[in-house]
Amino acid sequence: MNCSTISSTVVVSAPAIVAVTDTTPSVNGLPGGTTTALTGNDTLNGSPVVVGTAAGNVQITSSTVPVGSGLVVNADGTVTVPANTPSGNYAVSYTICEVNNPLNCSTISSTVVVSAPAIVAVTDTTPSVNGLPGGTTTALTGNDTLNGSPVVVGTAAGNVQITSSTVPVGSGLVVNADGTVTVPANTPSGNYAVSYTICEVNNPLNCSTISSTVVVSAPAIVAVTETTPSVNGLPGGTTTALTGNDTLNGSPVVVGTAAGNVQITSSTVPVGSGLVVNADGTVTVPANTPSGNYAVSYTICEVNNPLNCSTISSTVVVSAPAIVAVTDTTPSVNGLPGGTTTALTGNDTLNGSPVVVGTAAGNVQITSSTVPVGSGLVVNADGTVTVPANTPSGNYAVSYTICEVNNPLNCSTISSTVVVSAPAIVAVTDTTPSVNGLPGGTTTALTGNDTLNGSPVVVGTAAGNVQITSSTVPVGSGLVVNADGTVTVPANTPSGNYAVSYTICEVNNPLNCSTISSTVVVSAPAIVAVTETTPSVNGLPGGTTTALTGNDTLNGSPVVVGTAAGNVQITSSTVPVGSGLVVNADGTVTVPANTPSGNYAVSYTICEVNNPLNCSTISSTVVVSAPAIVAVTDTTPSVNGLPGGTTTALTGNDTLNGSPVVVGTAAGNVQITSSTVPVGSGLVVNADGTVTVPANTPSGNYAVSYTICEVNNPLNCSTISSTVVVSARRLLR
């Protein structure tokens, strides 16, 4: 014992108390712990102190530790080092005092050694991460230890932190703060060397660096056998993608060129099929591809990992289009001219669209047809039906089959109706050109304006003709409707409009008829009374003229005056007042005797016996001539001039109308209206035509001129010079 005793003022001295500087064995700062007693080397009275409360012990009466260190100097002289105390040498000052002599103390500063824990980063190979979706590895620090225990990566006391890392250039890998590695999506498969350093949070310089391996795996690529939904081979089209069920990493593939996509790197299709496997995995089926199941093989490879591939054979289903022959009723075809219907296939569909009849791909053909026996109908290759001319009207059942050119067994059969209509038969009211009722005749056909199918009818018994099946005419008219549609008008038919009803029926369709009432016009003949100047009638004896109607015509022919049908009658006449003329029923005019000569205007009206109102009035001239008056040169028997005397009448040889004149004042007589005798002769021409020779008239031949004029016609005269013979007196012997 190292002691010193002194005697001081106190009789009894305190023992020497010596606190000795100590450096503790290190305490691992991570878990913390308790040091050995700092008092281990301290002495009391030269002997190791005993820390306690008993006499002879020492007590730690005060202590100081580094601020914030958390160190605690315990009563027994040890120092408690809390967990997560950074490594280092901590100066801890304390004072020990003797229990017996509390003022007998010693203060010292010792060193508490806190050590860093062992930190060990261990090489790791991560479980593989699928490079397609990418992901996060397990922590590279999974096997790393701190103080022999697995590290906890974090920022808390007792944790470690990754302070630095390196990844392959361009890999996109990221070492996360928690020690995991983020593998970005679409990272190619491979083993990636990743180096990192972990350092203790408590002791940032307490580090360990290591290189580990991050394993990136290729995703599973699986091409799955596919049977496509059918594609209609008529229009063709594009299938759904054959890759529709294919998977990459268990998810449906995306076909493309981007990272994470797959590409179709090769394919085979049936020879001659025309199928094309498209880059997007669909298959183009060309138009007019026959129906069937087509084996198509293809290979998909991952864009990220071009050698990560899968090959499969799928089935492309090409379906026949729906072919539907639809019952059709054609627009009617007029059976008279016949014609061609619209196509029976007009409503038929192939793949829901109207069919095209032909021989080209995508067309349909009529492969068979049946028509009613004896109908003459013909189903044409284009689907139309030829209806021959003069086909009776009716609904004709026509059956036909259409088959697809692309798929000759893809057919549809249907029965349609071909409607053959009766032509429009139209009897049109007609008013015939007039038929002259006098001679009668035949009208134009009443059917002249009638139409069958819009064209003039032909009356006859042949197909396409019409027949007059019935007719009515006015009772008693005598009209006859002839088979050819004309109407016979008998001679002497009174003029008028005759209603004639008739029915025409089609020969082809005897019930296709039309009835109409037409008008047969019977005209009165032209009646023309022509101004006539009659041959003269000698007014002296009078007489009868020729008929004034001699030039009159009825229907252009000379009239016949009478009461029979076709004759004319004189229904009225006027003659000059006082003329005594009489217009006779036969058209002649009676001129009474002693009618003065002249032109007499005679008006008369002739009317047709058949048509009493068909008349013509005219004024004609009746010529009454003066009779020939002829004074004839006469030589009178001689008159003895001595006694004188009276001659015979100078008019003895004169004639009026060829007959000896009668000199007088009565009608039919003549008068001597003037006379001349030789001057101085004394002769006197007497009114009776004799000449008075006065007595003593010298003998000689005396020229005596005189004029006789007709009493009826005072201007009808004749002048003559006659010879009056005066004889000398006879001498007596």
Side-chain angles (χ1 to χ4, degrees), residues 638-661:
S638 65
V639 172
N640 190 324
L642 178 63
T646 301
T647 65
T648 56
L650 296 179
T651 59
N653 292 325
D654 294 351
T655 60
L656 181 63
N657 202 36
S659 296
V661 300

Side-chain angles (χ1 to χ4, degrees), residues 25 268 323 374:
T268 59
I323 186 169

Side-chain angles (χ1 to χ4, degrees), residues 379-644:
V379 179
N380 302 312
D382 62 358
T384 60
V385 178
T386 295
V387 177
N390 299 310
T391 297
S393 63
N395 291 339
Y396 293 81
V398 174
S399 174
Y400 68 95
T401 297
I402 52 172
C403 295
E404 188 188 4
V405 169
N406 294 337
N407 299 293
L409 298 180
N410 186 26
C411 301
S412 182
T413 298
I414 201 72
S415 179
S416 285
T417 300
V418 172
V419 178
V420 177
S421 61
I425 186 169
V426 181
V428 179
T429 295
D430 198 10
T431 298
T432 63
S434 63
V435 172
N436 193 321
L438 179 64
T442 300
T443 65
T444 55
L446 297 180
T447 57
N449 292 327
D450 296 353
T451 59
L452 182 63
N453 200 40
S455 296
V457 298
V458 176
V459 180
T461 58
N465 293 169
V466 299
Q467 289 181 302
I468 296 178
T469 57
S470 64
S471 62
T472 58
V473 297
V475 176
S477 65
L479 300 184
V480 175
V481 179
N482 302 311
D484 63 359
T486 60
V487 179
T488 295
V489 178
N492 298 311
T493 297
S495 64
N497 292 338
Y498 293 81
V500 175
S501 174
Y502 67 95
T503 297
I504 53 171
C505 295
E506 189 188 3
V507 170
N508 293 337
N509 298 294
L511 298 180
N512 186 26
C513 300
S514 181
T515 299
I516 201 71
S517 179
S518 285
T519 300
V520 172
V521 179
V522 177
S523 61
I527 186 169
V528 182
V530 179
T531 296
E532 177 84 14
T533 298
T534 63
S536 64
V537 173
N538 193 320
L540 181 64
T544 300
T545 65
T546 56
L548 296 180
T549 58
N551 289 325
D552 295 353
T553 59
L554 181 64
N555 201 39
S557 297
V559 299
V560 175
V561 181
T563 58
N567 294 167
V568 299
Q569 290 181 306
I570 296 177
T571 58
S572 66
S573 61
T574 59
V575 296
V577 175
S579 66
L581 300 184
V582 176
V583 179
N584 300 311
D586 63 357
T588 61
V589 178
T590 296
V591 179
N594 298 309
T595 296
S597 65
N599 291 337
Y600 292 80
V602 174
S603 174
Y604 67 95
T605 298
I606 53 171
C607 295
E608 188 187 3
V609 170
N610 294 336
N611 298 294
L613 298 180
N614 185 26
C615 301
S616 181
T617 299
I618 199 71
S619 179
S620 285
T621 301
V622 172
V623 178
V624 177
S625 61
I629 186 167
V630 181
V632 179
T633 294
D634 197 12
T635 297
T636 64
S638 65
V639 172
N640 190 324
L642 178 63

